[in-house]
Amino acid sequence: MKIKETPGRIVFRVINTVLLAILAVICVIPLWHVFMSSISDPTDITRHSGLVLWPLSESGPVTLRGYTVVLKNNSIVRGYANTIFYVGTGCVLCIIFSSMAAYCISRRRTMWMKYLTITLTLTMFFNGGLIPTYLVNRALHIVNTRWVVIVMGLISIFYIIIIKTAFHSLPSSLEESAQLDGAGHLTILFKIVLPLTKATIAVIALFYAVAKWNEYLTAAIYLTNRRLYPLQIILREILIESSGVSGVDLSTLGSFDNYKKLIQYSTIIFATLPILCIYPFVQKYFVKGVMIGSIKG
């Protein structure tokens, strides 16, 4: 049905478009400033004050010396690889375990389903705290290992509730038909339920990936081996402590202050690039995946 375009509706659309455009520009400008600074001459960056809207370079249009130094830094490259491993492994495990938990409490004939859901929800508001958690991880002998970064935050009750709501939206006749054909619960979950709720699963995967990619506190508390550091720890050393860049030749960049500023900009772009590349492919699932969890009860 075509909606009649009244004057009030036209004014609303114009104002809404203008406000959203302004908001988009406000969000994009900081990232654009960092990107333009990362491909500018380090000396010109130090001299320039204010926003950088185009590359600043006297010798040419752009320079990639900052990214060259970043790629030569073993700590940054190793941190990048560690973060990709933590995010990839954790994302797969998070989807598997969260889906299995959500499937169990979403079955209409599950014993004490209501009380089990309430018990799980309570853990969103109450937990043991940092020190008991550290003692448990130490007793499990996973402190200062890769597993502690993967295990911490692997299961989120918030994710389980969203997936459970999506599972509830599926007709029960699908499960009954599959059971009549001899399918077990794992077959129903992985071959029927998950493919039909892939929009919600994609949203949960992106939520987890972004959170794990930006996670800093877990590694700062539990890791002391620099070879296990994720990218965010290295990024903190560069941005805040002005360290973590040893073993790099500074002769091509001039003074240390110029070098430090260029590396800061280049590292930020280097660390943000994967999320920026993945997001457009998952964005189409956002509306459908989130609305499933908000409308169905």
Side-chain angles (χ1 to χ4, degrees):
M1 183 179 67
K2 186 177 180 179
I3 300 177
K4 183 179 180 180
E5 292 290 345
T6 62
R9 185 175 181 83
I10 295 175
V11 172
F12 171 78
R13 288 177 58 185
V14 171
I15 295 177
N16 194 32
T17 302
V18 172
L19 290 178
L20 290 177
I22 294 174
L23 181 61
V25 171
I26 293 175
C27 294
V28 169
I29 281 181
L31 184 61
W32 183 258
H33 163 75
V34 174
F35 176 67
M36 289 294 104
S37 299
S38 69
I39 58 177
S40 299
D41 187 87
T43 305
D44 294 334
I45 294 176
T46 305
R47 295 174 181 173
H48 183 81
S49 60
L51 290 174
V52 179
L53 300 180
W54 50 83
L56 303 176
S57 180
E58 298 178 355
S59 58
V62 297
T63 175
L64 300 178
R65 284 181 287 178
Y67 295 100
T68 302
V69 174
V70 168
L71 293 174
K72 289 182 179 179
N73 191 327
N74 292 330
S75 297
I76 296 178
V77 175
R78 187 185 302 116
Y80 208 96
N82 288 335
T83 299
I84 292 176
F85 174 77
Y86 296 146
V87 172
T89 305
C91 191
V92 173
L93 294 178
C94 175
I95 293 300
I96 293 176
F97 293 143
S98 298
S99 299
M100 293 176 68
Y103 178 81
C104 291
I105 62 176
S106 67
R107 299 304 89 193
R108 295 167 176 81
R109 293 188 296 272
T110 300
M111 184 179 298
W112 301 328
M113 181 187 68
K114 179 179 178 181
Y115 302 102
L116 182 59
T117 303
I118 294 175
T119 303
L120 291 175
T121 305
L122 288 176
T123 62
M124 296 177 63
F125 308 99
F126 305 99
N127 59 71
L130 178 60
I131 295 177
T133 303
Y134 184 90
L135 294 176
V136 170
N137 289 329
R138 189 177 67 176
L140 294 174
H141 304 288
I142 60 174
V143 174
N144 203 28
T145 65
R146 298 186 188 276
W147 281 109
V148 72
V149 181
I150 297 174
V151 170
M152 293 297 295
L154 183 64
I155 301 295
S156 172
I157 305 303
F158 175 70
Y159 297 161
I160 292 176
I161 292 175
I162 292 178
I163 299 175
K164 165 186 170 291
T165 307
F167 289 173
H168 259 308
S169 66
L170 300 177
S172 58
S173 57
L174 288 176
E175 179 184 357
E176 295 171 356
S177 299
Q179 288 177 340
L180 289 176
D181 291 336
H185 287 292
L186 290 179
T187 302
I188 295 174
L189 173 61
F190 290 105
K191 292 189 176 181
I192 299 177
V193 176
L194 284 182
L196 293 176
T197 56
K198 62 180 181 180
T200 302
I201 299 301
V203 172
I204 297 301
L206 184 61
F207 282 170
Y208 177 87
V210 172
K212 181 61 70 173
W213 187 273
N214 295 321
E215 189 180 53
Y216 155 76
L217 186 60
T218 299
I221 294 174
Y222 293 102
L223 297 182
T224 57
N225 186 353
R226 290 188 58 86
R227 299 185 64 85
L228 303 180
Y229 279 0
L231 183 61
Q232 297 304 323
I233 298 292
I234 307 299
L235 185 62
R236 176 183 180 273
E237 292 180 347
I238 295 175
L239 298 181
I240 300 178
E241 301 178 357
S242 300
S243 60
V245 290
S246 58
V248 180
D249 183 14
L250 308 183
S251 59
T252 60
L253 295 170
S255 67
F256 175 76
D257 291 335
N258 296 343
Y259 158 78
K260 180 177 68 175
K261 206 161 188 178
L262 183 65
I263 291 302
Q264 289 176 350
Y265 289 128
S266 301
T267 306
I268 291 174
I269 296 297
F270 193 69
T272 312
L273 189 60
I275 299 299
L276 295 178
C277 294
I278 294 174
Y279 183 82
F281 298 98
V282 189
Q283 183 185 13
K284 61 182 180 180
Y285 296 110
F286 259 29
V287 175
K288 183 179 178 181
V290 174
M291 288 300 292
I292 288 176
S294 61
I295 295 178
K296 300 290 183 179

